[in-house]
Amino acid sequence: MNDFLSVFFSQIFEWWYFRKYGTSFIEQVSVSHLRPLLGGVDSSSPNNSNTSNGEADSSRQSVSECKVWRNPLNLFRGAEYNRYTWVTGREPLTYYDMNLSAQDHQTFFTCDSDHLRPADAIMQKAWRERNPQARISAAHEALELEDCATAYILLAEEEATTIVEAERLFKQALKAGEGCYRRSQQLQHHGTQYETQHSKRDLIEDTNVLVYIKRRLAMCSRKLGRTREAVKMMRDLMKEFPLLSMFNIHENLLESLLELQNYADVQAVLAKYDDISLPKSATICYTAALLKARAVSDKFSPEAASRRGLSTAEMNAVEAIHRAVEFNPHVPKYLLEMKSLILPPEHILKRGDSEAIAYAFFHLQHWKRVEGALNLLHCTWEGTFRMIPYPLEKGHLFYPYPICTETADRELLPTVFHEVSVYPKKELPFFILFTAGLCSFTAMLALLTHQFPELMGVFAKAFLSTLFAPLNFIMEKVESILPSSLWHQLTRI
């Protein structure tokens, strides 16, 4: 009896452990603790040393892939996010996301010498304020003292209720920011040693401010329909500051070029940034797939392809789609409108659901514009998972899929009204379910038999008689139909 109960509770624990951690407790104990004791790992062997180094490299890669990045296409908080809140009553941004933005602003727009200038000292405190109204009031207070570029930035981002108003404030910020940038350059070249030391810090801050303003002005032009002007501004900005890749301006440029349907220039940008030595993104991978699909999608038919096989161009397009899906498997469901979109967050996790939302929000229209592209994606994207049956252990073209994406995406996305996409799905194997059910049923029968032996005996007889009733009925019918002599001979045989 005790054996049955121990098996029952062990199976319940095994089921709970698998649901919580996604792995078997018995397997985990065997691999982590029993195998070293039984001599399964030889720390002195070079092979194991190489393996451990590989695992360490994979672990480091996983940690880097779980880094949260600034969304290069993030919306304006006052003119877009707040308008959504006013209309729907829902908060599109999480506290964690807004806190990361506050840290970004402090990193980009402040330096150690800000306390020497009254307006910058006020703005240094403003970026740390949690209350939006307090931040806006501090920005107005700083502007009363002087033309402060960062104060205009804050007002354009948070107080402006339209893109036109935000653009006007960013133009004022540009005028003030260019003046500060020129002064910092002059001090660096012609100032004393003390001034030069401080001007280097100011120059970095002023450079960040200037790049941020110009990028946001380009985004305003894109949103207001002046796409060619936006493309020119982005190209000029990338030429003027080629080393500032942290802003990922090329992703803004790709989206604008796709809007113009200038696919030759899109390919030129991809040739520069879709390099093995550079970090990837959903924008890079899926834009490359879109260009490959564009060449064949208008004439693609799954029935014809199954009969004659895929051509070289179709194979290249399918491989590009598989590559993109392996990098971020959450995107296709949004592009195919199998999941509803929400406003993208201000920060994204590469290869996560947040990046998929940010990409699909801006690029779905470009996929729809290419005839047959979504049909080709629909027919081929699930084939990726056959190439990587165990994505958390081994990848095909990229590193194994990081296991931290679900946790980070739940912090970045408003889970109140959005169901976070999880890959791969944690599903219980049939063996565990069957074993748990069988052991539970056996333990329950043993317990009832021990407590109520007579009652369970009556129940068992009734159950068996009911179970064999159809068989007895069939036997009686056979006896009544067959002649008695033939039945006698059959029974003798």
Side-chain angles (χ1 to χ4, degrees), residues 69 241-250 273:
W69 300 76
F241 303 99
L243 299 179
L244 285 180
S245 59
M246 71 182 92
F247 291 101
N248 291 323
I249 303 170
H250 61 275
Y273 289 97

Side-chain angles (χ1 to χ4, degrees), residues 383-396 423-425:
T384 310
F385 307 126
R386 289 193 290 272
M387 299 188 302
I388 43 173
Y390 304 103
L392 298 179
E393 301 172 10
K394 185 179 180 181
H396 179 61
Y423 174 79
K425 290 284 187 181

Side-chain angles (χ1 to χ4, degrees), residues 393-440:
E393 301 172 10
K394 185 179 180 181
H396 179 61
L397 297 173
F398 299 99
Y399 282 91
Y401 191 79
I403 61 175
C404 61
T405 56
E406 180 183 358
T407 304
D409 279 333
R410 290 190 184 281
E411 295 287 339
L412 289 170
L413 298 172
T415 55
V416 176
F417 56 89
H418 173 72
E419 182 181 355
V420 175
S421 177
V422 179
Y423 174 79
K425 290 284 187 181
K426 292 181 180 179
E427 295 181 355
L428 285 174
F430 173 75
F431 174 75
I432 291 182
L433 292 173
F434 177 77
T435 307
L438 182 62
C439 291
S440 302

Side-chain angles (χ1 to χ4, degrees), residues 52 81 96 173 190 300 335 366 401 407 423 444 448 476 486:
S52 63
Y81 288 120
Y96 176 69
H190 304 292
F300 178 78
L335 291 180
H366 307 315
Y401 191 79
T407 304
Y423 174 79
M444 182 181 66
L448 291 174
E476 290 175 0
L486 179 61

Side-chain angles (χ1 to χ4, degrees), residues 200-213:
K200 285 181 180 179
R201 299 171 187 169
D202 293 342
L203 183 61
I204 294 173
E205 178 194 344
D206 294 336
T207 302
N208 290 338
V209 169
L210 194 61
V211 171
Y212 185 91
I213 293 170

Side-chain angles (χ1 to χ4, degrees), residues 1 444-456:
M1 181 63 202
M444 182 181 66
L445 287 180
L447 180 62
L448 291 174
T449 305
H450 179 74
Q451 294 292 331
F452 313 103
E454 295 181 359
L455 183 60
M456 287 302 293

Side-chain angles (χ1 to χ4, degrees), residues 136-324:
I136 292 172
S137 299
H140 283 293
E141 183 182 349
L143 288 175
E144 291 175 359
L145 300 176
E146 62 176 83
D147 264 1
C148 180
T150 54
Y152 283 122
I153 289 175
L154 192 148
L155 295 178
E157 291 285 354
E158 301 193 22
E159 189 181 43
T161 56
T162 64
I163 300 298
V164 173
E165 187 180 353
E167 184 182 39
R168 178 182 61 79
L169 288 168
F170 272 122
K171 286 180 178 178
Q172 293 178 275
L174 179 62
K175 184 178 179 181
E178 285 178 335
C180 293
Y181 182 72
R182 284 194 295 269
R183 284 195 297 271
S184 297
Q185 283 186 315
Q186 291 171 0
L187 281 175
Q188 186 177 6
H189 291 99
H190 304 292
T192 63
Q193 182 177 0
Y194 176 79
E195 289 175 337
T196 301
Q197 183 179 0
H198 281 272
S199 67
K200 285 181 180 179
R201 299 171 187 169
D202 293 342
L203 183 61
I204 294 173
E205 178 194 344
D206 294 336
T207 302
N208 290 338
V209 169
L210 194 61
V211 171
Y212 185 91
I213 293 170
K214 289 186 175 182
R215 173 174 160 270
R216 292 304 254 177
L217 276 173
M219 293 177 69
C220 287
S221 297
R222 167 68 183 91
K223 291 175 184 293
L224 294 173
R226 305 194 305 270
T227 310
R228 295 188 184 279
E229 178 184 338
V231 167
K232 183 181 183 303
M233 294 171 69
M234 292 172 193
R235 289 189 186 279
D236 293 342
L237 187 56
M238 293 169 67
K239 288 179 183 178
E240 187 177 1
F241 303 99
L243 299 179
L244 285 180
S245 59
M246 71 182 92
F247 291 101
N248 291 323
I249 303 170
H250 61 275
E251 296 197 9
N252 299 85
L253 179 60
L254 283 173
E255 196 278 328
S256 298
L257 290 172
L258 286 172
E259 176 64 21
L260 294 174
Q261 301 183 47
N262 194 341
Y263 297 110
D265 285 354
V266 172
Q267 185 61 59
V269 175
L270 286 177
K272 181 178 180 180
Y273 289 97
D274 192 6
D275 186 82
I276 192 171
S277 62
L278 297 176
K280 298 293 180 290
S281 67
T283 301
I284 294 291
C285 294
Y286 278 89
T287 302
L290 178 60
L291 293 190
K292 294 283 181 66
R294 177 176 170 269
V296 298
S297 60
D298 57 335
K299 299 177 182 178
F300 178 78
S301 170
E303 294 80 11
S306 63
R307 287 196 306 269
R308 59 173 169 77
L310 294 174
S311 64
T312 303
E314 288 173 339
M315 184 63 72
N316 290 337
V318 171
E319 288 176 354
I321 289 174
H322 286 176
R323 170 179 179 258

Side-chain angles (χ1 to χ4, degrees), residues 446-484:
L447 180 62
L448 291 174
T449 305
H450 179 74
Q451 294 292 331
F452 313 103
E454 295 181 359
L455 183 60
M456 287 302 293
V458 173
F459 175 78
K461 290 179 181 178
F463 176 76
L464 291 175
S465 62
T466 305
L467 183 64
F468 288 106
L471 182 60
N472 293 332
F473 177 77
I474 293 173
M475 292 296 293
E476 290 175 0
K477 288 295 183 182
V478 170
E479 288 180 1
S480 63
I481 294 173
L482 294 177
S484 59

